[in-house]
Amino acid sequence: MAKAVRFYETGGPEVLQWEAVEVGEPGPGEVRIRHEAVGLNFADTYFRTGLYPAPLPAGMGVEAAGVVEAVGPGVTSVREGDRVTYTGSPLGAYSTERVMPADHLIALPDAIGFDTAAAMTMRGLTTAYLLRRIWPLAAGDTVLLHAAAGGVGLIFSQWAKLLGIRVIGTVSSERKAQVARAHGCDEVVIYTEEDVAQRVRELTDGKGVPVVFDSIGATTFETSLNSLARRGLLVCFGTASGPIPPIDAMQLAIKGSVYVTRPALADYIADPAERAALAAELFSHVATGEIAIEINQRYALEDAVQAHRDLEAGRSIGSSVFAL
């Protein structure tokens, strides 16, 4: 019998339960996948707390990699034995095996290990759309990236370096600053010690940056706006500190006719062709070693409660996975 992490009510990490589950056979358009590694993402906590509503009881997690064990009627995109990875709903990735829609799967090249895939499919595809779809960034541009030592941050800085984009990153400590620099972040601001917006102005000759990438949310929103150049764009792609406050349209004008967007990965990988293109670019950089995926935290699935505690306490650096 398979095992999975489930929750029956929203709340803190303690609501997560490790239990036996019946998996069954795949129906039309579905596959049964045996997981080899499962991704741990901050977004997982949003479902657990109820920030992202989910019908209860529910599984947990949206990212994993493994092997297709069985295919249901009508499935032609994958075959039994295929190596695959995925990110996105429905919930249930925190499990040893599961049945899920076949059209969510992405073929995994042999050159990329399961643990690497679980550590970077969501983060890597997020980086891909941020750098390649949101704004026409060009070599020589400077951007501000919050949480530069996080899972997305470490991939983002390396990829930006390949594109010739200068990254000013924010972190909470000197230890994290060293990690960010080692992964290509050009300038690092320790936000617990410096005024971020002021430092950004100093580093850009008073102009500010054309784009701010902000996964923190509530506590960084004002700083992000104040770091933008005239007609710049604030990309709010996460809410680690809570949702961003209501937007005062007049303030956007006052701060230089700036823009704010709140994108979601799901809308950038909904089209199979675009998802394949973004994944191909990501996998190519990882397979050649141009982008290194470092897994700094590993947990057993039954230790999901502790994993969530570490994640929310800011004790994680880079990517984390559950190894099966």
Side-chain angles (χ1 to χ4, degrees):
M1 182 172 285
K3 301 292 286 291
V5 174
R6 295 176 61 77
F7 63 108
Y8 293 79
E9 60 181 334
T10 57
E14 67 280 355
V15 303
L16 300 178
Q17 299 187 28
W18 175 243
E19 58 189 35
V21 295
E22 290 284 352
V23 175
E25 295 301 317
E30 295 180 331
V31 301
R32 187 176 73 244
I33 178 174
R34 183 185 76 251
H35 289 151
E36 297 289 344
V38 175
L40 172 62
N41 298 285
F42 204 92
D44 298 343
T45 69
Y46 301 159
F47 290 101
R48 193 204 71 228
T49 62
L51 179 62
Y52 289 175
L56 299 177
M60 175 56 64
V62 296
E63 176 184 38
V67 177
V68 175
E69 289 202 316
V71 300
V75 174
T76 58
S77 56
V78 294
R79 297 179 297 179
E80 185 177 332
D82 281 356
R83 304 173 77 252
V84 294
T85 186
Y86 67 86
T87 182
S89 58
L91 295 174
Y94 286 20
S95 58
T96 56
E97 59 182 284
R98 68 181 297 195
V99 169
M100 63 177 295
D103 60 7
H104 288 202
L105 301 178
I106 302 170
L108 183 64
D110 291 339
I112 298 176
F114 291 116
D115 56 349
T116 298
M120 64 89 169
T121 299
M122 173 181 278
R123 297 171 178 90
L125 289 176
T126 296
T127 301
Y129 89 76
L130 291 176
L131 281 172
R132 308 299 276 162
R133 295 292 188 272
I134 291 284
W135 187 270
L137 291 166
D141 285 344
T142 299
V143 301
L144 175 63
L145 172 69
H146 290 295
V152 170
L154 299 185
I155 299 174
F156 185 105
S157 291
Q158 293 178 81
W159 202 329
K161 182 72 71 176
L162 296 175
L163 299 172
I165 297 166
R166 178 189 182 206
V167 177
I168 301 172
T170 73
V171 297
S172 62
S173 66
E174 179 56 36
R175 177 185 174 220
K176 290 188 175 182
Q178 292 174 6
V179 173
R181 292 189 192 100
H183 288 78
C185 197
D186 298 279
E187 307 282 352
V188 181
V189 182
I190 301 176
Y191 66 80
T192 55
E193 301 176 2
E194 300 180 83
D195 183 303
V196 173
Q198 179 179 323
R199 185 62 179 143
V200 168
R201 296 288 171 184
E202 293 171 355
L203 292 169
T204 57
D205 298 322
K207 297 177 182 177
V209 294
V211 188
V212 174
F213 296 95
D214 188 341
S215 62
I216 305 301
T219 61
T220 50
F221 181 71
E222 192 67 23
T223 292
S224 295
L225 286 178
N226 291 337
S227 300
L228 285 171
R230 181 177 285 118
R231 294 167 59 184
L233 173 67
L234 169 53
V235 183
C236 299
F237 68 99
T239 53
S241 67
I244 63 173
I247 295 172
D248 181 343
M250 183 53 67
Q251 284 299 309
L252 302 185
I254 291 172
K255 292 182 182 296
S257 299
V258 298
Y259 302 84
V260 178
T261 185
R262 203 327 182 169
L265 172 60
D267 293 315
Y268 288 84
I269 61 173
D271 176 75
E274 184 166 29
R275 181 180 61 197
L278 291 173
E281 190 171 359
L282 168 65
F283 292 163
S284 175
H285 289 318
V286 173
T288 59
E290 293 174 306
I291 292 177
I293 306 298
E294 295 184 11
I295 302 171
N296 296 309
Q297 295 82 213
R298 295 176 185 269
Y299 301 90
L301 261 181
E302 54 264 42
D303 294 329
V305 170
Q306 185 60 50
H308 274 227
R309 286 176 177 155
D310 291 346
L311 197 63
E312 292 181 308
R315 289 191 284 265
S316 301
I317 294 178
S319 296
S320 304
V321 299
F322 294 104
L324 281 74

